[in-house]
Amino acid sequence: MFISREELENSQIWIYVVSLLIGGAFGIFNESMASKLEWTIPIIIAVLMYGMLAQIPFLKLREALSNSKFMFALTVGNFLAVPILVGFLIKIFPLSPPILVGVCLVLLTPCIDYVIVFTQLGKGNEKLILAATPILFLLQMILLPFYLFIFVGEEVVNIVKVRPFLEAFLFMIVIPLALAIITQLWASSSSKKSGEKFLKLSAWLPVPFMALVLIVVVATQIGKISNDFNAILKVIPIYVLYLIITPFISKYLAFVFKLEFKAGRALVFSIGTRNSLVVLPLALALPNEWATLAAAIIVTQTIVELIGELVYIKAVPKLIKK
């Protein structure tokens, strides 16, 4: 039976949950074979990034900026309120530098992909989030190095080797971004019929490739996670508290900036949902002993967040009412 792209996207939460279970089972029961798949992670993530970025309306930045109240609230929430909250949480729960890097990578970067569907399911204005994604993406890439230096300190400078970090950024973010913009330009050009068709086909990539990334990442990392289980236990309270606190920060910002209720709900989802799979390549570019732990910390956040999003879908419409 044929399934539409909309039906596929609306089912993606459960697809990701099943993917996590498949990856976990494969990694536990066939660890030696799972470990051989690690080389495929950068390639799968690069394809996933292209599929996601091709759907972001980079050519419509003016539209995103037209709703100045929402954009200002979104920027203040994600890039001022969230760093303050993260700083508070890591003071309460002190972490070793490798774990801290993983937590900062994932919590300081707002989601630009499945947050759109979560917002729609939570009865928010997903079009506002879609229009804002180019700005969210560009700002987080610019600000992330400064945040890491502030929260982790000189240890990051000493431990992070610039070349593999830049290679990961180039291969898994810059090249997919460039190809996505070229695809959008092609779709809007004089020969746009074939370009539009290709752009529509690329819209099918994010859900299956995100599921594939989750399967491969969990399968290859779960054996390593078991070795660092105590570290995993340390970050779960941080992730849970983050999911609990951010909706109230969002509600306050929605009140301050006088956002209408659907925009307020969209703000909750944007501030509460993080960019785990976009920063995963950057974590994997860290030195071996740091990369393993940071990747495990990021995967843990994805698992906690998916559970949290199921709660958000029901709770957010009640938190911010019409």
Side-chain angles (χ1 to χ4, degrees), residues 16 72 78 82 103-104 125 157 163 188 191 226 299 303 318:
Y16 301 152
F72 200 51
N78 277 304
V82 166
V103 168
C104 289
N125 189 334
V157 178
R163 184 174 174 179
S188 63
S191 57
S226 61
V299 170
I303 296 168
K318 295 177 182 177

Side-chain angles (χ1 to χ4, degrees), residues 40 51 67 106 125 151 165 167 178 201 213 221 257 259 275 296:
T40 66
N67 193 325
V106 74
N125 189 334
F151 288 113
F165 204 79
E167 285 175 353
L201 284 173
V213 167
Q221 302 299 318
F257 289 99
L259 301 181
N275 214 358

Side-chain angles (χ1 to χ4, degrees), residues 163-226:
R163 184 174 174 179
F165 204 79
L166 287 178
E167 285 175 353
F169 186 74
L170 177 67
F171 180 70
M172 289 182 268
I173 294 177
V174 175
I175 291 175
L177 173 62
L179 291 173
I181 292 173
I182 289 168
T183 303
Q184 291 181 20
L185 289 169
W186 180 23
S188 63
S189 68
S190 54
S191 57
K192 66 179 182 178
K193 187 168 281 188
S194 54
E196 283 178 351
K197 190 175 181 180
F198 193 85
L199 187 61
K200 285 179 180 177
L201 284 173
S202 72
W204 284 87
L205 294 174
V207 175
F209 270 87
M210 190 172 290
L212 190 56
V213 167
L214 289 172
I215 290 170
V216 175
V217 168
V218 172
T220 56
Q221 302 299 318
I222 196 160
K224 301 169 185 177
I225 288 174
S226 61

Side-chain angles (χ1 to χ4, degrees), residues 133-154:
T133 46
I135 294 168
L136 287 176
F137 178 73
L138 294 172
L139 281 176
Q140 65 187 266
M141 289 297 109
I142 292 167
L143 294 172
L144 186 57
F146 297 102
Y147 288 146
L148 288 176
F149 184 78
I150 291 168
F151 288 113
V152 187
E154 291 183 11

Side-chain angles (χ1 to χ4, degrees), residues 18-165:
V18 172
S19 300
L20 290 168
L21 295 173
I22 292 170
F26 184 55
I28 290 168
F29 295 113
N30 206 333
E31 189 174 346
S32 61
M33 187 177 287
S35 62
K36 294 175 184 176
L37 296 173
E38 196 155 358
W39 69 272
T40 66
I41 293 175
I43 298 168
I44 299 169
I45 290 178
V47 176
L48 168 66
M49 289 300 298
Y50 166 74
M52 291 191 309
L53 294 170
Q55 311 317 308
I56 295 174
F58 288 102
L59 304 181
K60 296 182 179 179
L61 280 170
R62 191 178 297 175
E63 182 184 332
L65 294 169
S66 64
N67 193 325
S68 56
K69 286 198 299 183
F70 179 75
M71 276 308 307
F72 200 51
L74 199 68
T75 305
V76 170
N78 277 304
F79 301 110
L80 181 60
V82 166
I84 292 170
L85 174 60
V86 171
F88 174 71
L89 290 173
I90 62 178
K91 285 290 183 186
I92 298 176
F93 302 96
L95 304 168
S96 64
I99 303 173
L100 183 58
V101 168
V103 168
C104 289
L105 276 173
V106 74
L107 289 188
L108 294 170
T109 49
C111 184
I112 57 166
D113 39 80
Y114 54 55
V115 65
I116 297 163
V117 174
F118 288 144
T119 304
Q120 183 183 36
L121 293 174
K123 299 177 181 175
N125 189 334
E126 76 278 5
K127 291 178 182 176
L128 284 176
I129 296 291
L130 179 63
T133 46
I135 294 168
L136 287 176
F137 178 73
L138 294 172
L139 281 176
Q140 65 187 266
M141 289 297 109
I142 292 167
L143 294 172
L144 186 57
F146 297 102
Y147 288 146
L148 288 176
F149 184 78
I150 291 168
F151 288 113
V152 187
E154 291 183 11
E155 188 116 23
V156 171
V157 178
N158 296 331
I159 200 71
V160 173
K161 301 291 185 268
V162 175
R163 184 174 174 179
F165 204 79

